[in-house]
Amino acid sequence: QAQLVESGGGSVQTGRSLRLSCAVSEYTSTVYCVGWFRQAPGRRREWVATFDTNGQTYYTDSVRGRFTISKDSAKNIIYLQMNNLEPEDTSTYSCGIQVCSGSWYCCRDYGNLEALGQGTLVTVSS
């Protein structure tokens, strides 16, 4: 089963940047997607962004233009570059993986993920 480990969270002020990493291992499929999700205390989990092996990227409206998802194929790491952070971005961010590629719905539904990491906390203060 796939193993995913997130890192890169921390506490920053409004307007600053962070880069989250999702290291993927023990996964044999060459066709897949990796999605980032976030959940703030007392709120529902929210899909944030997806990268798939077709090279397609998708973003939720609230982060489009500020966040960028990418992959380092040599290291098998999916990054989430988060710029111009806002207090509303404060959440625990997790990455998940699914055998799916080439469509907007890939890695969009948390319930369809095959594996999920433990999460990394991002706190943005005003």
Side-chain angles (χ1 to χ4, degrees), residues 22-47:
C22 173
V24 181
S25 61
E26 308 297 328
Y27 198 67
T28 58
S29 177
T30 58
V31 177
Y32 61 86
C33 59
V34 172
W36 282 97
F37 296 78
R38 64 185 181 184
Q39 187 169 22
R43 300 187 66 177
R44 297 181 66 178
R45 185 179 289 108
E46 174 188 24
W47 167 76

Side-chain angles (χ1 to χ4, degrees), residues 58-79:
Y58 306 89
Y59 301 92
T60 193
D61 287 345
S62 62
V63 309
R64 188 176 292 111
R66 299 189 298 123
F67 291 12
T68 302
I69 189 170
S70 62
K71 179 185 178 184
D72 184 329
S73 296
K75 299 179 181 179
N76 217 20
I77 295 176
I78 305 297
Y79 296 107

Side-chain angles (χ1 to χ4, degrees), residues 62-119:
S62 62
V63 309
R64 188 176 292 111
R66 299 189 298 123
F67 291 12
T68 302
I69 189 170
S70 62
K71 179 185 178 184
D72 184 329
S73 296
K75 299 179 181 179
N76 217 20
I77 295 176
I78 305 297
Y79 296 107
L80 185 66
Q81 177 67 43
M82 306 186 297
N83 297 331
N84 195 20
L85 283 161
E86 303 168 352
E88 292 74 21
D89 296 317
T90 295
S91 286
T92 295
Y93 286 73
S94 304
C95 59
I97 196 165
Q98 180 186 355
V99 176
C100 187
S101 184
S103 177
W104 64 270
Y105 56 74
C106 292
C107 282
R108 186 75 65 97
D109 186 343
Y110 185 81
N112 289 334
L113 300 174
E114 297 173 44
L116 188 71
Q118 292 298 310

